[in-house]
Amino acid sequence: MSTSAFAAGSDFADGGHHDHSHGDDHGGDHHGHLKLQYQPGLPLTKGKLIMWLFLSTEIMFFAALLGSYVVLRFGALQWPKPHHVHLSEPIGAFNTFVLICSSVTVVLALEAAKVNKSSLAKTWMMITLALGSLFLGVKAYEYQAKFSHGIYPVKPMGLVYEKPDLYYASAVRARLSDPVVLEEIAALDAKSETEMNAEEIAGRKSLAEVKRLVNDPAQEAFDIAVVADQIMPLPADMGSHGGSHGLNDTFSWLQLPIVIPGGNMWASTYFLLTGFHAVHVIVGLIVFAILLTYNLGPATAGMIENAGLYWHFVDLVWIFLFPLLYLF
Amino acid sequence: MSNSDAPNGSSSSADAGSSEHGPRTTPGGLPETAAPAAAVVEASHDESHGGLRVYVAVFVALCVLTTMSFFTYSPLWPWRDEPQVGWAFMMAVSCTKAMLVVLFFMHVLWEANWKYVLTIPAAMMAIFLAIMLVPDIGYRSRMVSQERLLYMARPSDEALMHQAGTAAEAKAGAEEAH
Protein backbone atom coordinates (compact mmCIF):
# COMPACT_ATOMS: atom_id res chain seq x y z
CA MET A 1 0.00 0.00 0.00
CA SER A 2 1.93 2.99 -1.22
CA THR A 3 1.62 6.36 0.39
CA SER A 4 1.04 8.01 -2.95
CA ALA A 5 -2.16 6.09 -3.33
CA PHE A 6 -3.35 7.35 0.02
CA ALA A 7 -2.33 10.90 -0.63
CA ALA A 8 -4.14 10.94 -3.94
CA GLY A 9 -7.12 9.31 -2.33
CA SER A 10 -7.44 11.84 0.43
CA ASP A 11 -6.91 14.76 -1.93
CA PHE A 12 -9.73 13.38 -3.83
CA ALA A 13 -11.97 12.98 -0.83
CA ASP A 14 -11.31 16.56 0.18
CA GLY A 15 -12.91 17.50 -3.06
CA GLY A 16 -9.97 18.67 -5.11
CA HIS A 17 -11.05 19.61 -8.59
CA HIS A 18 -7.49 20.64 -9.26
CA ASP A 19 -6.72 17.07 -10.24
CA HIS A 20 -8.58 17.68 -13.43
CA SER A 21 -5.76 19.69 -14.83
CA HIS A 22 -3.27 16.95 -13.96
CA GLY A 23 -5.26 14.46 -15.91
CA ASP A 24 -5.61 16.68 -18.91
CA ASP A 25 -1.98 17.71 -18.78
CA HIS A 26 -0.96 14.19 -18.78
CA GLY A 27 -1.69 13.70 -22.45
CA GLY A 28 1.21 15.99 -23.28
CA ASP A 29 3.42 14.75 -20.49
CA HIS A 30 5.77 12.19 -21.95
CA HIS A 31 8.24 12.14 -19.09
CA GLY A 32 6.45 9.49 -17.13
CA HIS A 33 5.48 11.69 -14.18
CA LEU A 34 2.18 10.00 -14.11
CA LYS A 35 -0.11 11.23 -11.38
CA LEU A 36 -2.23 8.26 -10.42
CA GLN A 37 -5.72 8.82 -9.17
CA TYR A 38 -7.45 6.44 -6.79
CA GLN A 39 -11.08 6.43 -6.12
CA PRO A 40 -11.80 6.04 -2.41
CA GLY A 41 -14.12 3.25 -1.40
CA LEU A 42 -16.63 5.66 0.06
CA PRO A 43 -16.93 9.34 -0.82
CA LEU A 44 -16.09 10.62 2.64
CA THR A 45 -13.00 11.42 4.64
CA LYS A 46 -11.30 8.68 6.63
CA GLY A 47 -12.06 10.34 9.95
CA LYS A 48 -15.73 10.57 9.20
CA LEU A 49 -15.82 6.99 7.93
CA ILE A 50 -14.20 5.78 11.14
CA MET A 51 -16.60 7.85 13.25
CA TRP A 52 -19.60 6.40 11.43
CA LEU A 53 -18.29 2.86 11.78
CA PHE A 54 -17.78 3.51 15.49
CA LEU A 55 -21.28 4.95 15.75
CA SER A 56 -22.78 1.89 14.11
CA THR A 57 -21.16 -0.25 16.80
CA GLU A 58 -22.51 2.20 19.37
CA ILE A 59 -26.01 1.81 17.92
CA MET A 60 -25.77 -1.91 18.67
CA PHE A 61 -24.28 -1.31 22.11
CA PHE A 62 -27.11 0.94 23.24
CA ALA A 63 -29.69 -1.15 21.42
CA ALA A 64 -28.60 -4.10 23.54
CA LEU A 65 -28.92 -2.05 26.74
CA LEU A 66 -32.22 -0.41 25.79
CA GLY A 67 -33.58 -3.69 24.43
CA SER A 68 -32.76 -5.57 27.63
CA TYR A 69 -34.30 -2.76 29.67
CA VAL A 70 -37.56 -2.89 27.69
CA VAL A 71 -37.67 -6.67 27.81
CA LEU A 72 -36.92 -6.77 31.54
CA ARG A 73 -39.37 -4.03 32.31
CA PHE A 74 -42.30 -5.52 30.42
CA GLY A 75 -41.43 -9.07 31.41
CA ALA A 76 -41.44 -8.24 35.12
CA LEU A 77 -44.53 -8.97 37.17
CA GLN A 78 -44.04 -5.74 39.05
CA TRP A 79 -42.11 -2.63 38.10
CA PRO A 80 -41.92 0.51 40.26
CA LYS A 81 -43.71 3.65 39.13
CA PRO A 82 -41.32 6.58 38.49
CA HIS A 83 -42.48 8.35 41.67
CA HIS A 84 -41.85 5.22 43.76
CA VAL A 85 -38.14 5.61 43.01
CA HIS A 86 -37.94 9.39 43.34
CA LEU A 87 -37.68 10.08 39.62
CA SER A 88 -38.74 13.59 38.74
CA GLU A 89 -40.23 13.87 35.27
CA PRO A 90 -39.77 17.66 35.02
CA ILE A 91 -36.05 17.26 35.79
CA GLY A 92 -35.74 14.59 33.09
CA ALA A 93 -37.52 16.80 30.57
CA PHE A 94 -35.22 19.68 31.50
CA ASN A 95 -32.18 17.49 30.87
CA THR A 96 -33.59 16.51 27.48
CA PHE A 97 -33.92 20.18 26.65
CA VAL A 98 -30.34 20.84 27.76
CA LEU A 99 -28.97 18.10 25.50
CA ILE A 100 -31.03 19.28 22.51
CA CYS A 101 -29.66 22.80 23.02
CA SER A 102 -26.10 21.45 23.15
CA SER A 103 -26.66 19.58 19.89
CA VAL A 104 -27.71 22.82 18.23
CA THR A 105 -24.68 24.68 19.56
CA VAL A 106 -22.32 22.02 18.16
CA VAL A 107 -23.95 22.40 14.74
CA LEU A 108 -23.58 26.16 14.96
CA ALA A 109 -19.92 25.82 16.01
CA LEU A 110 -19.31 23.68 12.92
CA GLU A 111 -21.05 26.18 10.63
CA ALA A 112 -19.03 29.04 12.13
CA ALA A 113 -15.76 27.13 11.77
CA LYS A 114 -16.48 26.39 8.10
CA VAL A 115 -16.74 30.08 7.25
CA ASN A 116 -13.62 30.82 9.32
CA LYS A 117 -15.35 32.62 12.19
CA SER A 118 -13.12 30.89 14.70
CA SER A 119 -13.95 33.03 17.72
CA LEU A 120 -17.67 32.49 17.14
CA ALA A 121 -17.03 28.77 16.76
CA LYS A 122 -15.13 28.83 20.03
CA THR A 123 -18.01 30.58 21.78
CA TRP A 124 -20.51 27.98 20.56
CA MET A 125 -18.15 25.23 21.60
CA MET A 126 -17.80 26.69 25.07
CA ILE A 127 -21.59 26.89 25.38
CA THR A 128 -21.77 23.24 24.35
CA LEU A 129 -19.25 22.34 27.02
CA ALA A 130 -21.25 24.30 29.60
CA LEU A 131 -24.52 22.62 28.60
CA GLY A 132 -22.93 19.18 28.73
CA SER A 133 -21.59 19.93 32.21
CA LEU A 134 -25.04 21.17 33.25
CA PHE A 135 -26.52 17.88 32.08
CA LEU A 136 -23.99 15.97 34.17
CA GLY A 137 -24.65 18.20 37.17
CA VAL A 138 -28.38 17.56 36.98
CA LYS A 139 -27.67 13.86 36.58
CA ALA A 140 -25.47 13.90 39.68
CA TYR A 141 -28.24 15.67 41.59
CA GLU A 142 -30.70 12.97 40.50
CA TYR A 143 -28.30 10.21 41.53
CA GLN A 144 -27.93 11.88 44.90
CA ALA A 145 -31.72 11.81 45.34
CA LYS A 146 -31.66 8.03 44.77
CA PHE A 147 -28.64 7.42 47.01
CA SER A 148 -30.08 9.48 49.85
CA HIS A 149 -33.14 7.22 49.82
CA GLY A 150 -31.05 4.06 49.97
CA ILE A 151 -31.53 3.15 46.30
CA TYR A 152 -28.22 1.80 45.03
CA PRO A 153 -27.52 -0.66 42.23
CA VAL A 154 -25.70 -3.00 44.63
CA LYS A 155 -26.59 -4.58 47.91
CA PRO A 156 -24.16 -3.43 50.61
CA MET A 157 -25.35 0.17 50.27
CA GLY A 158 -28.80 -0.46 48.91
CA LEU A 159 -31.71 -0.71 51.33
CA VAL A 160 -34.33 -1.89 48.84
CA TYR A 161 -36.44 -4.98 49.54
CA GLU A 162 -38.78 -6.39 46.97
CA LYS A 163 -41.80 -7.03 49.15
CA PRO A 164 -43.04 -6.62 52.73
CA ASP A 165 -42.40 -10.18 53.95
CA LEU A 166 -40.69 -11.96 56.86
CA TYR A 167 -37.23 -11.33 55.41
CA TYR A 168 -37.95 -7.66 55.31
CA ALA A 169 -39.26 -7.67 58.87
CA SER A 170 -36.13 -9.42 60.12
CA ALA A 171 -33.94 -6.91 58.27
CA VAL A 172 -35.80 -4.08 60.00
CA ARG A 173 -35.32 -5.83 63.36
CA ALA A 174 -31.62 -6.26 62.66
CA ARG A 175 -31.19 -2.58 61.84
CA LEU A 176 -33.19 -1.52 64.90
CA SER A 177 -30.87 -3.54 67.15
CA ASP A 178 -27.74 -1.99 65.63
CA PRO A 179 -25.78 -0.30 68.48
CA VAL A 180 -25.58 3.03 66.64
CA VAL A 181 -29.33 3.09 66.02
CA LEU A 182 -30.05 1.97 69.61
CA GLU A 183 -28.00 4.89 70.91
CA GLU A 184 -29.82 7.38 68.66
CA ILE A 185 -33.21 5.97 69.65
CA ALA A 186 -32.28 6.25 73.36
CA ALA A 187 -31.29 9.89 72.80
CA LEU A 188 -34.56 10.51 70.94
CA ASP A 189 -36.66 8.92 73.67
CA ALA A 190 -34.89 11.02 76.31
CA LYS A 191 -35.92 14.27 74.60
CA SER A 192 -38.90 16.15 75.90
CA GLU A 193 -41.61 17.16 73.42
CA THR A 194 -40.80 20.85 73.79
CA GLU A 195 -37.40 20.27 72.16
CA MET A 196 -38.86 18.66 69.04
CA ASN A 197 -40.96 19.83 66.12
CA ALA A 198 -44.30 18.26 65.22
CA GLU A 199 -42.73 16.00 62.60
CA GLU A 200 -40.25 14.55 65.08
CA ILE A 201 -42.95 13.99 67.69
CA ALA A 202 -45.07 12.11 65.16
CA GLY A 203 -41.96 10.26 63.97
CA ARG A 204 -41.09 9.10 67.48
CA LYS A 205 -44.57 7.70 67.91
CA SER A 206 -44.46 6.01 64.54
CA LEU A 207 -41.03 4.54 65.30
CA ALA A 208 -42.33 3.06 68.55
CA GLU A 209 -45.19 1.50 66.59
CA VAL A 210 -42.74 0.07 64.03
CA LYS A 211 -40.65 -1.45 66.83
CA ARG A 212 -43.74 -2.99 68.39
CA LEU A 213 -44.98 -4.45 65.07
CA VAL A 214 -41.72 -6.04 63.94
CA ASN A 215 -41.18 -7.65 67.33
CA ASP A 216 -44.78 -8.80 67.74
CA PRO A 217 -44.87 -12.62 67.54
CA ALA A 218 -48.47 -12.45 66.31
CA GLN A 219 -47.65 -10.11 63.40
CA GLU A 220 -49.57 -10.53 60.17
CA ALA A 221 -48.62 -9.80 56.57
CA PHE A 222 -50.53 -6.54 56.74
CA ASP A 223 -48.53 -5.40 59.79
CA ILE A 224 -45.30 -5.68 57.84
CA ALA A 225 -46.82 -3.64 55.03
CA VAL A 226 -47.72 -1.01 57.66
CA VAL A 227 -44.10 -1.04 58.86
CA ALA A 228 -42.83 -0.59 55.30
CA ASP A 229 -45.31 2.21 54.71
CA GLN A 230 -44.20 4.04 57.87
CA ILE A 231 -40.54 3.79 56.88
CA MET A 232 -40.95 4.87 53.25
CA PRO A 233 -44.46 5.12 51.76
CA LEU A 234 -45.10 4.56 48.05
CA PRO A 235 -46.82 7.68 46.74
CA ALA A 236 -50.22 6.67 45.42
CA ASP A 237 -50.45 8.96 42.42
CA MET A 238 -48.35 11.21 40.26
CA GLY A 239 -47.21 14.61 41.36
CA SER A 240 -47.01 13.74 45.04
CA HIS A 241 -43.24 13.28 45.34
CA GLY A 242 -43.20 15.64 48.28
CA GLY A 243 -45.86 13.58 49.99
CA SER A 244 -43.68 10.51 50.29
CA HIS A 245 -42.26 11.32 53.67
CA GLY A 246 -41.39 8.42 55.92
CA LEU A 247 -39.37 7.65 59.01
CA ASN A 248 -36.18 7.41 56.97
CA ASP A 249 -36.69 11.03 55.89
CA THR A 250 -37.57 12.27 59.37
CA PHE A 251 -34.51 10.67 61.00
CA SER A 252 -31.62 10.53 58.55
CA TRP A 253 -29.57 8.29 60.89
CA LEU A 254 -32.22 5.58 60.87
CA GLN A 255 -31.56 4.10 57.40
CA LEU A 256 -34.04 1.29 57.82
CA PRO A 257 -34.61 -1.15 54.95
CA ILE A 258 -37.34 0.01 52.56
CA VAL A 259 -39.79 -1.80 50.29
CA ILE A 260 -40.07 -0.91 46.61
CA PRO A 261 -41.72 -3.76 44.69
CA GLY A 262 -39.49 -4.43 41.67
CA GLY A 263 -37.05 -1.80 42.94
CA ASN A 264 -33.83 -3.81 42.71
CA MET A 265 -34.16 -4.66 39.02
CA TRP A 266 -35.20 -1.10 38.41
CA ALA A 267 -32.08 0.22 40.15
CA SER A 268 -29.79 -2.12 38.19
CA THR A 269 -31.19 -1.10 34.80
CA TYR A 270 -31.53 2.58 35.65
CA PHE A 271 -27.98 2.99 36.87
CA LEU A 272 -26.55 0.89 34.05
CA LEU A 273 -28.36 2.81 31.30
CA THR A 274 -27.87 6.31 32.67
CA GLY A 275 -24.34 5.43 33.83
CA PHE A 276 -23.21 4.35 30.37
CA HIS A 277 -24.89 7.39 28.90
CA ALA A 278 -23.15 9.64 31.41
CA VAL A 279 -19.79 8.05 30.55
CA HIS A 280 -20.45 8.92 26.92
CA VAL A 281 -21.28 12.48 27.91
CA ILE A 282 -18.01 12.74 29.87
CA VAL A 283 -16.02 11.47 26.87
CA GLY A 284 -17.78 14.02 24.65
CA LEU A 285 -16.92 16.82 27.07
CA ILE A 286 -13.26 15.79 27.10
CA VAL A 287 -13.23 15.87 23.28
CA PHE A 288 -14.79 19.34 23.26
CA ALA A 289 -12.29 20.55 25.85
CA ILE A 290 -9.45 19.31 23.63
CA LEU A 291 -11.01 20.95 20.57
CA LEU A 292 -11.19 24.25 22.45
CA THR A 293 -7.40 24.36 22.53
CA TYR A 294 -7.32 24.58 18.70
CA ASN A 295 -7.97 27.55 16.47
CA LEU A 296 -11.39 26.52 15.22
CA GLY A 297 -11.09 27.53 11.57
CA PRO A 298 -11.95 25.59 8.40
CA ALA A 299 -8.93 23.31 8.97
CA THR A 300 -10.56 21.89 12.10
CA ALA A 301 -14.05 21.65 10.57
CA GLY A 302 -13.57 17.92 10.00
CA MET A 303 -12.67 17.34 13.64
CA ILE A 304 -15.61 19.42 14.84
CA GLU A 305 -17.91 17.53 12.50
CA ASN A 306 -16.76 14.16 13.85
CA ALA A 307 -17.00 15.28 17.47
CA GLY A 308 -20.44 16.67 16.62
CA LEU A 309 -21.56 13.35 15.11
CA TYR A 310 -20.60 11.63 18.34
CA TRP A 311 -22.37 14.26 20.45
CA HIS A 312 -25.56 14.03 18.40
CA PHE A 313 -25.49 10.30 18.93
CA VAL A 314 -25.27 10.83 22.70
CA ASP A 315 -28.26 13.17 22.40
CA LEU A 316 -30.06 10.50 20.38
CA VAL A 317 -29.60 7.91 23.10
CA TRP A 318 -31.03 10.29 25.69
CA ILE A 319 -34.03 10.98 23.43
CA PHE A 320 -34.95 7.32 23.88
CA LEU A 321 -33.81 7.04 27.50
CA PHE A 322 -35.94 9.92 28.74
CA PRO A 323 -39.39 8.52 27.88
CA LEU A 324 -38.37 4.94 28.64
CA LEU A 325 -37.05 5.70 32.12
CA TYR A 326 -39.16 8.64 33.25
CA LEU A 327 -42.51 8.33 31.54
CA PHE A 328 -43.16 4.62 30.98
CA MET B 1 -6.68 -4.03 -12.86
CA SER B 2 -4.42 -3.94 -15.86
CA ASN B 3 -3.32 -0.54 -17.02
CA SER B 4 -2.34 -1.64 -20.45
CA ASP B 5 -4.16 1.19 -22.23
CA ALA B 6 -2.54 3.85 -20.10
CA PRO B 7 0.70 5.37 -21.24
CA ASN B 8 2.46 4.36 -18.08
CA GLY B 9 5.22 2.25 -19.49
CA SER B 10 7.74 4.37 -17.67
CA SER B 11 5.88 4.67 -14.39
CA SER B 12 7.81 3.93 -11.24
CA SER B 13 7.69 0.59 -9.49
CA ALA B 14 5.80 2.18 -6.58
CA ASP B 15 2.98 3.10 -8.91
CA ALA B 16 2.93 -0.32 -10.44
CA GLY B 17 2.90 -1.90 -7.00
CA SER B 18 -0.12 0.06 -5.98
CA SER B 19 -2.12 -0.88 -9.02
CA GLU B 20 -3.75 -3.63 -7.01
CA HIS B 21 -5.59 -0.97 -5.06
CA GLY B 22 -7.54 -0.11 -8.11
CA PRO B 23 -5.94 3.00 -9.49
CA ARG B 24 -7.65 4.94 -12.21
CA THR B 25 -4.79 5.43 -14.53
CA THR B 26 -6.60 6.30 -17.69
CA PRO B 27 -6.11 10.01 -17.79
CA GLY B 28 -8.89 10.58 -20.25
CA GLY B 29 -11.32 8.60 -18.16
CA LEU B 30 -10.52 10.38 -14.92
CA PRO B 31 -12.59 13.53 -15.17
CA GLU B 32 -15.80 11.74 -16.09
CA THR B 33 -15.65 9.22 -13.29
CA ALA B 34 -14.17 11.52 -10.71
CA ALA B 35 -16.45 14.46 -11.20
CA PRO B 36 -19.69 12.94 -9.83
CA ALA B 37 -18.00 11.51 -6.77
CA ALA B 38 -16.17 14.73 -6.13
CA ALA B 39 -19.41 16.62 -6.51
CA VAL B 40 -21.03 14.41 -3.89
CA VAL B 41 -18.21 15.06 -1.46
CA GLU B 42 -18.43 18.77 -2.10
CA ALA B 43 -22.16 18.78 -1.74
CA SER B 44 -21.86 17.35 1.75
CA HIS B 45 -19.66 20.30 2.68
CA ASP B 46 -21.77 22.78 0.81
CA GLU B 47 -23.24 25.75 2.60
CA SER B 48 -26.41 25.66 0.53
CA HIS B 49 -27.99 22.97 2.68
CA GLY B 50 -28.61 23.37 6.37
CA GLY B 51 -28.18 26.96 7.33
CA LEU B 52 -29.28 28.69 10.48
CA ARG B 53 -32.96 28.74 9.59
CA VAL B 54 -33.15 24.98 9.09
CA TYR B 55 -31.32 24.35 12.38
CA VAL B 56 -33.55 26.71 14.32
CA ALA B 57 -36.64 25.09 12.78
CA VAL B 58 -35.38 21.63 13.78
CA PHE B 59 -34.55 22.89 17.27
CA VAL B 60 -38.06 24.30 17.71
CA ALA B 61 -39.55 21.05 16.43
CA LEU B 62 -37.46 19.06 18.92
CA CYS B 63 -38.58 21.26 21.80
CA VAL B 64 -42.22 20.95 20.77
CA LEU B 65 -41.86 17.16 20.50
CA THR B 66 -40.23 16.95 23.94
CA THR B 67 -43.14 18.94 25.36
CA MET B 68 -45.53 16.56 23.62
CA SER B 69 -44.03 13.46 25.22
CA PHE B 70 -43.88 15.27 28.56
CA PHE B 71 -47.61 16.01 28.09
CA THR B 72 -48.37 12.32 28.70
CA TYR B 73 -47.28 12.96 32.30
CA SER B 74 -49.70 15.84 32.85
CA PRO B 75 -53.17 15.27 34.33
CA LEU B 76 -54.67 16.57 31.08
CA TRP B 77 -53.51 13.52 29.12
CA PRO B 78 -56.78 11.78 28.19
CA TRP B 79 -55.53 8.17 28.15
CA ARG B 80 -54.62 7.88 31.82
CA ASP B 81 -56.14 4.43 32.16
CA GLU B 82 -54.58 2.96 29.03
CA PRO B 83 -50.83 3.38 29.46
CA GLN B 84 -50.22 1.57 26.16
CA VAL B 85 -51.56 4.58 24.27
CA GLY B 86 -49.04 6.80 26.01
CA TRP B 87 -46.18 4.36 25.36
CA ALA B 88 -46.97 4.13 21.65
CA PHE B 89 -47.32 7.89 21.47
CA MET B 90 -43.99 8.50 23.25
CA MET B 91 -42.14 5.99 21.08
CA ALA B 92 -43.54 7.64 17.96
CA VAL B 93 -42.44 11.03 19.27
CA SER B 94 -38.98 9.69 20.16
CA CYS B 95 -38.51 8.13 16.73
CA THR B 96 -39.52 11.42 15.11
CA LYS B 97 -37.03 13.30 17.26
CA ALA B 98 -34.31 10.76 16.47
CA MET B 99 -35.00 11.10 12.74
CA LEU B 100 -34.79 14.89 12.97
CA VAL B 101 -31.45 14.75 14.81
CA VAL B 102 -29.99 12.16 12.43
CA LEU B 103 -31.21 13.78 9.23
CA PHE B 104 -30.44 17.41 9.98
CA PHE B 105 -27.89 17.67 12.82
CA MET B 106 -25.89 14.66 11.65
CA HIS B 107 -26.29 15.82 8.04
CA VAL B 108 -27.43 12.39 6.93
CA LEU B 109 -30.09 13.94 4.70
CA TRP B 110 -27.35 15.40 2.52
CA GLU B 111 -24.98 12.44 2.53
CA ALA B 112 -24.37 10.06 -0.38
CA ASN B 113 -25.68 6.53 -0.45
CA TRP B 114 -22.98 5.16 1.86
CA LYS B 115 -25.28 6.19 4.72
CA TYR B 116 -27.50 3.18 4.00
CA VAL B 117 -24.53 0.80 4.09
CA LEU B 118 -23.65 1.83 7.62
CA THR B 119 -26.98 2.56 9.23
CA ILE B 120 -29.37 -0.10 7.91
CA PRO B 121 -27.34 -3.20 8.89
CA ALA B 122 -26.61 -1.68 12.32
CA ALA B 123 -30.28 -0.87 12.85
CA MET B 124 -31.33 -4.38 11.79
CA MET B 125 -28.79 -5.99 14.10
CA ALA B 126 -30.07 -3.78 16.90
CA ILE B 127 -33.67 -4.84 16.33
CA PHE B 128 -32.79 -8.56 16.08
CA LEU B 129 -30.77 -8.27 19.25
CA ALA B 130 -33.73 -6.91 21.19
CA ILE B 131 -36.11 -9.51 19.72
CA MET B 132 -33.76 -12.35 20.63
CA LEU B 133 -33.89 -11.30 24.29
CA VAL B 134 -37.65 -11.80 24.48
CA PRO B 135 -37.96 -15.60 24.87
CA ASP B 136 -35.39 -15.98 27.64
CA ILE B 137 -35.67 -12.73 29.52
CA GLY B 138 -38.99 -11.21 28.52
CA TYR B 139 -40.96 -14.33 29.34
CA ARG B 140 -38.89 -15.32 32.35
CA SER B 141 -41.64 -14.53 34.83
CA ARG B 142 -44.37 -16.34 32.89
CA MET B 143 -43.07 -19.80 33.74
CA VAL B 144 -41.50 -19.70 37.16
CA SER B 145 -41.56 -22.18 39.97
CA GLN B 146 -43.84 -21.64 42.92
CA GLU B 147 -40.77 -21.19 45.08
CA ARG B 148 -39.35 -18.33 43.02
CA LEU B 149 -42.73 -16.71 42.87
CA LEU B 150 -42.61 -16.48 46.67
CA TYR B 151 -39.67 -14.10 46.54
CA MET B 152 -40.69 -12.08 43.49
CA ALA B 153 -42.37 -8.73 43.82
CA ARG B 154 -45.94 -8.86 42.55
CA PRO B 155 -48.62 -6.24 41.95
CA SER B 156 -50.31 -7.51 45.13
CA ASP B 157 -47.32 -6.25 47.14
CA GLU B 158 -47.81 -2.73 45.89
CA ALA B 159 -51.54 -2.98 46.58
CA LEU B 160 -50.81 -4.13 50.13
CA MET B 161 -48.48 -1.16 50.67
CA HIS B 162 -51.16 1.23 49.44
CA GLN B 163 -53.74 -0.38 51.74
CA ALA B 164 -51.37 0.08 54.66
CA GLY B 165 -50.86 3.70 53.62
CA THR B 166 -54.59 4.39 53.48
CA ALA B 167 -55.12 2.72 56.85
CA ALA B 168 -52.35 4.82 58.41
CA GLU B 169 -53.85 8.01 56.97
CA ALA B 170 -57.30 7.10 58.27
CA LYS B 171 -55.83 6.38 61.70
CA ALA B 172 -53.97 9.70 61.76
CA GLY B 173 -57.15 11.50 60.70
CA ALA B 174 -59.16 9.81 63.46
CA GLU B 175 -56.52 10.76 66.05
CA GLU B 176 -56.62 14.38 64.96
CA ALA B 177 -60.40 14.42 65.18
CA HIS B 178 -60.18 12.89 68.64
Side-chain angles (χ1 to χ4, degrees):
Chain A
M1 194 172 283
S2 78
T3 47
S4 71
F6 257 109
S10 55
D11 267 353
F12 189 77
D14 288 335
H17 263 313
H18 56 270
D19 292 330
H20 257 249
S21 53
H22 280 278
D24 291 338
D25 277 353
H26 186 263
D29 181 7
H30 297 290
H31 301 289
H33 297 297
L34 182 64
K35 172 100 169 136
L36 293 173
Q37 287 298 316
Y38 302 97
Q39 190 150 20
L42 290 167
L44 68 171
T45 58
K46 281 195 283 293
K48 199 166 154 187
L49 173 64
I50 289 165
M51 181 50 79
W52 269 103
L53 281 173
F54 171 65
L55 288 186
S56 60
T57 67
E58 289 275 84
I59 290 174
M60 287 181 264
F61 176 74
F62 276 105
L65 288 176
L66 281 169
S68 356
Y69 170 75
V70 168
V71 164
L72 284 169
R73 187 227 181 286
F74 289 102
L77 290 179
Q78 172 68 30
W79 197 261
K81 311 276 179 300
H83 44 279
H84 290 171
V85 282
H86 310 280
L87 270 181
S88 166
E89 288 90 344
I91 291 180
F94 173 74
N95 248 356
T96 312
F97 177 70
V98 167
L99 269 198
I100 289 173
C101 287
S102 74
S103 262
V104 177
T105 54
V106 172
V107 168
L108 293 176
L110 174 61
E111 295 294 314
K114 273 187 194 166
V115 293
N116 205 11
K117 291 180 182 163
S118 60
S119 63
L120 182 62
K122 199 155 264 191
T123 308
W124 285 124
M125 194 63 93
M126 263 147 83
I127 296 175
T128 310
L129 197 66
L131 288 170
S133 311
L134 177 62
F135 176 89
L136 277 185
V138 173
K139 201 78 238 158
Y141 169 77
E142 288 192 289
Y143 272 22
Q144 185 50 42
K146 314 284 173 292
F147 295 157
S148 68
H149 285 96
I151 303 174
Y152 283 84
V154 285
K155 207 66 198 171
M157 300 289 281
L159 304 173
V160 178
Y161 276 73
E162 290 286 311
K163 56 200 299 180
D165 58 5
L166 290 172
Y167 298 97
Y168 173 69
S170 77
V172 173
R173 264 199 305 277
R175 177 66 188 165
L176 282 175
S177 53
D178 186 284
V180 180
V181 176
L182 281 176
E183 209 170 283
E184 290 279 0
I185 291 178
L188 183 70
D189 288 339
K191 276 187 185 173
S192 76
E193 289 206 355
T194 49
E195 295 173 75
M196 299 190 288
N197 57 32
E199 188 192 326
E200 284 173 323
I201 296 169
R204 185 163 72 175
K205 242 167 145 180
S206 154
L207 184 58
E209 177 72 0
V210 162
K211 272 196 319 202
R212 188 185 69 75
L213 284 174
V214 290
N215 290 310
D216 187 358
Q219 71 186 191
E220 287 172 25
F222 188 73
D223 297 334
I224 305 176
V226 169
V227 168
D229 180 72
Q230 292 295 311
I231 292 169
M232 199 201 82
L234 298 178
D237 49 5
M238 299 196 190
S240 57
H241 315 279
S244 63
H245 207 77
L247 279 175
N248 269 3
D249 298 305
T250 311
F251 306 114
S252 56
W253 43 264
L254 204 51
Q255 291 174 13
L256 287 171
I258 56 177
V259 173
I260 304 174
N264 282 312
M265 187 62 93
W266 177 85
S268 302
T269 52
Y270 171 82
F271 285 108
L272 195 72
L273 282 168
T274 57
F276 270 121
H277 182 262
V279 167
H280 279 75
V281 172
I282 292 169
V283 169
L285 292 183
I286 293 170
V287 170
F288 288 140
I290 293 170
L291 274 179
L292 271 175
T293 62
Y294 286 78
N295 177 32
L296 299 178
T300 53
M303 284 203 291
I304 299 175
E305 189 181 7
N306 292 337
L309 283 174
Y310 173 79
W311 191 250
H312 297 315
F313 178 79
V314 173
D315 183 17
L316 210 65
V317 171
W318 185 256
I319 283 175
F320 284 102
L321 276 184
F322 166 59
L324 281 172
L325 291 175
Y326 289 78
L327 300 172
F328 261 47
Chain B
M1 281 299 165
S2 156
N3 308 316
S4 57
D5 56 341
N8 64 343
S10 57
S11 69
S12 68
S13 60
D15 288 340
S18 61
S19 68
E20 65 191 273
H21 299 296
R24 302 212 152 260
T25 51
T26 315
L30 180 62
E32 285 86 38
T33 51
V40 164
V41 170
E42 273 191 358
S44 69
H45 291 281
D46 202 344
E47 298 306 315
S48 63
H49 73 250
L52 193 62
R53 280 175 61 188
V54 172
Y55 295 135
V56 169
V58 172
F59 172 68
V60 171
L62 287 173
C63 290
V64 169
L65 286 166
T66 305
T67 317
M68 276 167 72
S69 59
F70 186 64
F71 177 60
T72 59
Y73 161 73
S74 89
L76 296 173
W77 176 252
W79 293 281
R80 264 288 149 79
D81 301 325
E82 294 107 12
Q84 290 84 353
V85 179
W87 297 338
F89 176 76
M90 279 185 280
M91 277 298 100
V93 167
S94 284
C95 289
T96 314
K97 282 164 76 180
M99 285 311 277
L100 284 176
V101 169
V102 170
L103 289 179
F104 293 97
F105 287 172
M106 295 171 94
H107 296 122
V108 165
L109 186 61
W110 302 290
E111 298 289 5
N113 285 343
W114 60 262
K115 62 190 174 191
Y116 301 115
V117 179
L118 285 181
T119 50
I120 291 182
M124 281 171 67
M125 297 273 274
I127 291 167
F128 289 152
L129 202 76
I131 291 174
M132 283 187 292
L133 293 168
V134 171
D136 276 353
I137 300 173
Y139 288 163
R140 77 191 187 290
S141 47
R142 301 276 170 93
M143 305 263 279
V144 290
S145 64
Q146 201 63 34
E147 196 198 348
R148 267 195 70 195
L149 206 55
L150 272 177
Y151 305 105
M152 283 168 93
R154 277 181 287 179
S156 56
D157 295 312
E158 195 191 320
L160 194 65
M161 293 275 290
H162 284 314
Q163 270 177 35
T166 335
E169 267 171 37
K171 197 177 157 196
E175 263 175 32
E176 261 175 45
H178 180 70

